[in-house]
Amino acid sequence: QVQLVESGGGSVQSGGSLTLSCAVSGDTVASYALGWFRQAPGKEREGVACIASGDGTNYADSVKGRFTVSRDNAKNTLYLQMNSLQAEDTAMYSCAARRGRGPYCTLFQTAYNTWGQGTQVTVSS
């Protein structure tokens, strides 16, 4: 069973940057589609970005041009580079995994069956 552990969250001012990491153990990330999701207080969890095993990516409209998802198969780690952060980006960010190879990934959370515990991102205006 693959396990996911997020890190890199914190507090930052509006306009700042953070990079989240998701360390994967128990299997190789090359065999998985991986996604980042977030949940703000009082809101439903939403998909932010994902990357397929074939390295195709997908982003929520709200983060396009500001966030970049990437993976390092050698380090078995998923990343989310977040730039130009806004107060609306404040949320608990979680990574998720879905075993399977292919060029595409989805931001539908029901497609993912393994989740990390999350890391908090707080953006102050």
Side-chain angles (χ1 to χ4, degrees), residues 5 16 38 56 64-65 69 74 80 88 98 112:
V5 178
R38 67 186 181 186
K64 281 180 181 176
V69 62
L80 184 67
E88 306 86 80
R98 173 176 180 264
Y112 297 83

Side-chain angles (χ1 to χ4, degrees), residues 17-83:
S17 298
L18 280 175
T19 299
L20 305 184
S21 299
C22 174
V24 182
S25 60
D27 205 346
T28 172
V29 298
S31 300
Y32 289 80
L34 302 169
W36 286 101
F37 296 80
R38 67 186 181 186
Q39 186 168 21
K43 294 187 177 181
E44 293 187 354
R45 186 164 56 188
E46 62 176 353
V48 175
C50 65
I51 184 166
S53 64
D55 289 337
T57 57
N58 196 6
Y59 295 91
D61 288 343
S62 60
V63 307
K64 281 180 181 176
R66 301 188 298 124
F67 290 11
T68 302
V69 62
S70 62
R71 64 199 298 157
D72 185 331
N73 290 343
K75 295 183 178 180
N76 240 30
T77 302
L78 171 72
Y79 301 99
L80 184 67
Q81 173 68 44
M82 305 185 294
N83 298 326

